[in-house]
């Protein structure tokens, strides 16, 4: 076999180098294109936000009649339901709205719960703790007050219909609390917060009742207390929400179950405040 001249060998090597470079470039373009497609597929499979809407908060109270007189007669809220028991315990749902007749997905409600009455029970037994209170919108002048059980309320002057503007919770670490509610429950920091403050953050969902969750940096150890019992948030799928939260390291205080015809589960935030997530479709059906 005749040996190739050096210049021919170099030319042949150059030819194969060019071919190899072209093949490598095409391979890289295909590889990058495949990665782009995979990225789009992964992004399309990202879990949807756990929470959807703030529905209501439960407050334990000393006396149902005193509380209803305050929230209905003085603040102008409507009684959506009231269940009295023979032992003196009672539960009432109240909300703002001229046409409010039942609980729905469009208005934030309060659940007022009175324990059974006992002869040895003293008034003022509810421990408000670090519950920061409620902000109420109205056309009257701004004023601070307390309800019959000692919960702080602030009436703020707003050019809008009466509503619960914000529910406030004190937190030991504002940054950690914001992270929990945004990254775990899918809330977002409001851009048009009712009040600017370096020690508070206003969170909300994009749909449902436009009531803010106001997180306030505490200046002393947080005491959850016995008054504010829990916050209720709707979700599209309770089991899916439970799986997603557990993947994010959130411990379930109540595994998915069914109560009062609603699929429901429970968790706690970083300070120990209780949160229940309920199936939105079940909630709409049960209050339809």
């Amino acid at each position: 076999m005749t040996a190739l001249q050096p210049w021919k060998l170099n030319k042949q090597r150059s030819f194969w180098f060019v071919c190899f470079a072209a093949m490598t470039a095409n391979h890289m373009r295909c590889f990058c294109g495949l990665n782009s497609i995979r990225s789009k597929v992964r992004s399309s499979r990202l879990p949807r936000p756990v929470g959807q809407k703030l529905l209501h908060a439960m407050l334990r109270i000393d006396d149902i009649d005193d509380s209803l007189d305050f929230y209905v007669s003085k603040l102008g809220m409507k009684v959506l339901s009231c269940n009295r028991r023979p032992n003196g315990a009672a539960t009432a749902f109240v909300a703002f709205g001229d046409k409010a007749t039942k609980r729905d997905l469009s208005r934030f409600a309060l659940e007022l719960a009175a324990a059974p009455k006992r002869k040895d029970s003293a008034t003022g037994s509810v421990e408000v703790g670090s519950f920061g209170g409620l902000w109420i919108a109205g056309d009257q002048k701004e004023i601070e007050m307390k309800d019959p059980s000692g919960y702080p309320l602030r009436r703020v002057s707003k050019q809008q219909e009466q509503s619960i503007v914000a529910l406030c919770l004190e937190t030991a670490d504002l940054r950690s609390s914001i992270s929990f509610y945004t990254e775990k429950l899918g809330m977002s920091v409001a851009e048009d917060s009712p009040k600017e403050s370096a020690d508070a953050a206003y969170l909300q969902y994009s749909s449902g009742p436009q009531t803010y969750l106001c997180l306030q940096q505490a200046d002393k150890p947080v005491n959850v207390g016995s008054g504010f019992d829990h916050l209720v948030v709707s979700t599209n799928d309770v089991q899916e929400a439970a799986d997603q939260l557990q993947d994010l390291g959130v411990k379930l205080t109540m595994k998915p179950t069914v109560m009062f015809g609603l699929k429901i589960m429970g968790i706690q935030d970083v300070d120990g405040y209780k949160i229940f997530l309920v199936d939105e479709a079940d909630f709409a059906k049960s209050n339809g």
Side-chain angles (χ1 to χ4, degrees), residues 67-199:
S67 293
L68 288 178
D69 179 66
F70 177 83
Y71 285 98
V72 176
S73 302
K74 290 183 172 61
L75 295 185
M77 300 182 80
K78 306 292 184 182
V79 177
L80 307 181
S81 65
C82 185
N83 181 19
R84 297 175 183 267
R85 302 174 185 84
N87 62 2
T91 301
F93 282 89
V94 295
F96 282 110
D98 293 336
K99 298 181 180 180
T101 58
K102 58 185 178 182
R103 296 168 61 199
D104 58 39
L105 295 167
S106 66
R107 70 185 81 249
F108 188 80
L110 294 179
E111 179 183 3
L112 307 174
K117 290 185 177 181
R118 292 179 296 185
K119 293 182 180 180
D120 59 345
S121 62
T123 58
S125 58
V126 171
E127 185 182 11
V128 175
S130 297
F131 177 65
L134 302 168
W135 287 21
I136 308 296
D139 55 3
Q140 303 178 33
K141 65 179 182 179
E142 297 192 9
I143 186 173
E144 293 186 2
M145 51 189 162
K146 290 186 177 182
D147 82 346
S149 299
Y151 294 111
L153 285 89
R154 176 181 296 180
R155 196 201 310 265
V156 294
S157 181
K158 303 277 288 184
Q159 298 300 318
Q160 64 184 60
E161 64 178 11
Q162 281 188 303
S163 63
I164 298 176
V165 177
L167 179 142
C168 307
L169 300 175
E170 292 185 358
T171 176
D173 188 321
L174 183 59
R175 181 173 296 182
S176 296
S177 191
I178 292 173
S179 176
F180 176 86
Y181 283 97
T182 55
E183 297 176 12
K184 307 295 194 300
L185 290 182
M187 301 189 78
S188 59
V189 179
E191 297 180 358
D192 55 343
S193 59
K195 185 179 180 181
E196 296 294 333
S197 174
D199 297 325

Side-chain angles (χ1 to χ4, degrees), residues 258-273:
V258 177
M259 293 178 61
F260 309 112
L262 297 174
K263 290 185 284 293
I264 186 173
M265 58 159 288
I267 58 174
Q268 289 183 348
D269 75 356
V270 293
D271 292 291
Y273 295 111

